Amino acid sequence: RRAIEAASAQTEAVNADLADTQVSLAAEVAQVYIDLRSQQQRLALANQSAALEQKTLDLIRQQRARGVVTDSDVERQTTQVENTKATLIPLDEQITESLDQLAVLTGQAPGALDNELSSPAPLPSLPASVAVEDPASLLKQRPDIRAAERRLAASNAQIGQHEADLFPKVTMLGFIGSNAADPGHLLRKSSFTWLGAPYLQWDVLDFGRTRSQVRQAQAGRDEAEANYTQTVLAALQDANNSLSRYGHQRESVARLQTIEVSANRSSTLMQQRYEAGASSLIDLLDTERVQFDAQQNLIQGRAELLKDFVSLQKSLGLGWSSS
């Protein structure tokens, strides 16, 4: 019975290992998908910014032809356009890498998801709130904790399995057959014969080795208990860190949103001042650069918040149910 108990616990531990791998894979797929959508949004923003800056450069060249601005103004805007276009190349490369990584993670050849995911799409939406409830009970859903607990149970059962060797073992040896001179009588009840005898086995002189095996099993149980404790503590640390990162990132995104609104308003006002001749081209370019950086930072901040949400789901066992 103790051997069956140990084997069953080991089976449940391996199943929990499989579940842990599935959870980790799902989290990695979600995070790579978030990276892909973030990169696509940033690339679209960079293209829009480059197009607007190119129009501004064309206007400045027209003004230079009329002698309104200087060559240095043209060169400054040209530098701005080229800097923005330079950001397009690495973003395009990152998008290709994310598409290939998603294909591999889902068991497909690189490029298999290009047609489905190449078109830009918004980032996934976050829930308004995350119901954490009791973290301790949620942590019980984590497959790695379940695996460690089942291995501890298996190690404990193995102690009893070796302790059973201290007692006699009785095995029933027997023979069942049919014996008849005529083949047609083989299936008659009177033709059946059987013989049974108990077989007693008891290694009285080998108790030293048996007790050593028991102590070895107890040491294995102690190791499994230490591993279980370490797994639980690591899970608690992971959960606390995930909660902290998610909460701080939400505050960071809120500030980035405020910065973006302010940068957009400042860019609009500076454009009006420049068209009215009340500000210089340098002021306008600086404002546009700040606006572009604010928009890029907000997209990255939202992507990081989504990835922190995925990590939070994984660390607390939220959204995961064992069959």
Side-chain angles (χ1 to χ4, degrees):
R1 288 197 301 267
R2 297 292 278 176
I4 293 174
E5 180 184 345
S8 299
Q10 287 285 6
T11 301
E12 293 170 352
V14 173
N15 289 334
D17 288 337
L18 173 60
D20 190 39
T21 302
Q22 292 170 333
V23 171
S24 298
L25 176 61
E28 187 174 359
V29 170
Q31 291 179 340
V32 175
Y33 177 79
I34 291 168
D35 283 335
L36 171 65
R37 293 314 187 192
S38 171
Q39 293 155 2
Q40 290 174 335
Q41 283 196 354
R42 290 163 55 200
L43 179 62
L45 176 61
N47 280 319
Q48 294 174 4
S49 180
L52 292 174
E53 290 171 358
Q54 184 63 47
K55 291 181 180 179
T56 303
L57 177 59
D58 295 339
L59 292 174
I60 293 175
R61 285 173 175 169
Q62 295 175 8
Q63 293 176 343
R64 177 66 187 91
R66 296 194 298 268
V68 178
V69 298
T70 64
D71 290 337
S72 61
D73 293 331
V74 176
E75 293 303 325
R76 288 192 189 94
Q77 182 61 17
T78 302
T79 301
Q80 177 75 7
V81 172
E82 293 303 322
N83 285 335
T84 302
K85 289 182 178 180
T87 63
L88 303 178
I89 300 175
L91 282 173
D92 192 59
E93 179 184 357
Q94 292 170 10
I95 289 173
T96 301
E97 292 177 355
S98 295
L99 287 169
D100 290 344
Q101 188 175 0
L102 279 173
V104 173
L105 287 173
T106 54
Q108 303 177 69
L113 299 177
D114 289 2
N115 293 334
E116 183 177 354
L117 299 177
S118 292
S119 300
L123 289 168
S125 301
L126 279 173
S129 61
V130 180
V132 175
E133 298 178 356
D134 180 15
S137 61
L138 291 173
L139 285 174
K140 294 179 181 178
Q141 302 182 70
R142 286 180 54 128
D144 56 341
I145 292 182
R146 295 204 310 273
E149 187 275 331
R150 288 290 82 200
R151 286 191 169 90
L152 175 58
S155 299
N156 190 61
Q158 288 170 357
I159 297 175
Q161 181 180 350
H162 288 293
E163 286 178 342
D165 293 335
L166 296 171
F167 301 94
K169 293 181 179 180
V170 179
T171 305
M172 180 64 69
L173 300 179
F175 168 80
I176 300 178
S178 178
N179 185 16
D182 187 352
H185 298 164
L186 287 175
L187 299 180
R188 290 184 177 181
K189 184 176 180 180
S190 59
S191 298
F192 283 100
T193 60
W194 66 275
L195 174 66
Y199 173 71
L200 178 65
Q201 181 181 5
W202 193 14
D203 296 331
V204 180
L205 302 178
D206 206 15
F207 280 176
R209 185 180 66 174
T210 301
R211 290 191 175 92
S212 296
Q213 291 175 341
V214 171
R215 288 193 295 269
Q216 181 181 4
Q218 291 172 340
R221 187 270 319 277
D222 294 340
E223 180 184 6
E225 183 178 4
N227 290 334
Y228 173 72
T229 303
Q230 180 182 10
T231 301
V232 172
L233 292 176
L236 288 171
Q237 181 183 12
D238 185 23
N240 287 334
N241 291 341
S242 297
L243 283 168
S244 177
R245 283 197 303 267
Y246 182 71
H248 286 92
Q249 189 61 25
R250 287 189 66 174
E251 296 178 1
S252 177
V253 169
R255 293 183 180 275
L256 290 174
Q257 289 174 336
T258 302
I259 293 173
E260 189 215 16
V261 171
S262 177
N264 292 339
R265 188 183 303 113
S266 177
S267 178
T268 301
L269 294 174
M270 189 59 67
Q271 183 69 34
Q272 295 173 353
R273 288 175 57 83
Y274 176 74
E275 293 174 355
S279 63
S280 66
L281 177 61
I282 297 177
D283 295 332
L284 176 61
L285 295 180
D286 288 340
T287 305
E288 289 179 347
R289 188 180 300 109
V290 171
Q291 180 188 25
F292 176 73
D293 291 342
Q295 292 171 338
Q296 289 276 10
N297 291 337
L298 179 59
I299 293 175
Q300 290 179 321
R302 286 173 173 168
E304 289 299 321
L305 180 61
L306 281 166
K307 290 195 291 185
D308 288 342
F309 176 75
V310 172
S311 298
L312 179 62
Q313 295 284 104
K314 180 177 178 292
S315 65
L316 291 178
L318 296 171
W320 173 260
S321 58
S322 59
S323 59

